[in-house]
Amino acid sequence: MKSPTLVGSAEVHDARFQVKGQVMAVRALSGKAEFSEARVLLQDFEGFLNDGRVRGRGDVRLEHFEVKTVELGLDLQEVTLTPRPDFPTAVTGNLLFFGKPGAFQLAGGLDVLKLRYTRPLDLESLLTKSSMRLPPSDDRATEWLKFDVNLDGTQGDIRIENNLAKARLTGKLKLAGTNVKPVLLGSLETVEGSQGFVRGQAFSISRGVVQFGAQDTTFDLTAQSQ
């Protein structure tokens, strides 16, 4: 009674759950779990994450039924994620969640298949901001999760379609920082045919670069109009 163990295996069928505080819902999840004295192996898990498919495997190390370390690998296929309400994003790729409670990391690489930014913006307010920092990923002040995720948008359909621009973008970014202070690093460039709008006047954008840094976001824009 003082030191019980759980040994054996279990099959999971049609499980579903949601991630608290996030627009992430898993359904029709099936797989197999192998239990030993100090370990739980998760094998061949498949299901749906939001509107896309997800496959997973994991290794959870235990001590007296307490989690000591976790390693979860996820393969995503055409999954829509919403890091912000105005940034619905479809991605394909691999993620690895690992570490100890209180010191987890999320790493991997995702191809951005589709992203639309349609929220209207005020040009004067935008130009007076010193940066475009991401909001905290949760409301907890404690840093418990570090990010190291590469985002490849060179082959996807990334567009801004609002009152300031109708533009397609391409480039590579990295999600870094922590759950308290997430950071985007890298750059995005406009492609041919992009347009900008200033007080009702249309401009043809010949060069547009947004550079995301650890502290600031910079813009380099060249546009023409008659």
Side-chain angles (χ1 to χ4, degrees), residues 205-223:
I205 300 175
S206 56
R207 171 180 169 79
V209 179
V210 184
Q211 186 76 37
F212 298 90
Q215 299 297 328
D216 297 296
T217 301
T218 61
F219 302 84
D220 181 4
L221 179 66
T222 303

Side-chain angles (χ1 to χ4, degrees), residues 34-105:
E34 295 283 349
F35 298 88
S36 62
E37 183 176 351
R39 193 176 186 183
V40 179
L41 284 177
L42 307 176
Q43 301 174 333
D44 303 324
F45 274 81
E46 295 188 23
F48 295 89
L49 173 57
N50 294 345
D51 55 351
R53 297 194 64 87
V54 61
R55 298 181 63 186
R57 65 246 172 234
D59 187 352
V60 181
R61 302 298 176 99
L62 304 172
E63 185 175 321
H64 302 300
F65 286 102
E66 292 186 3
V67 175
K68 291 301 179 180
T69 63
V70 174
E71 182 175 309
L72 299 176
L74 297 175
D75 301 327
L76 308 180
Q77 183 177 356
E78 298 183 1
V79 172
T80 298
L81 302 176
T82 310
R84 288 177 48 162
D86 48 5
F87 271 110
T89 308
V91 298
T92 289
N94 311 104
L95 292 174
L96 182 65
F97 180 82
F98 63 97
K100 301 178 181 179
F104 289 115
Q105 295 186 52

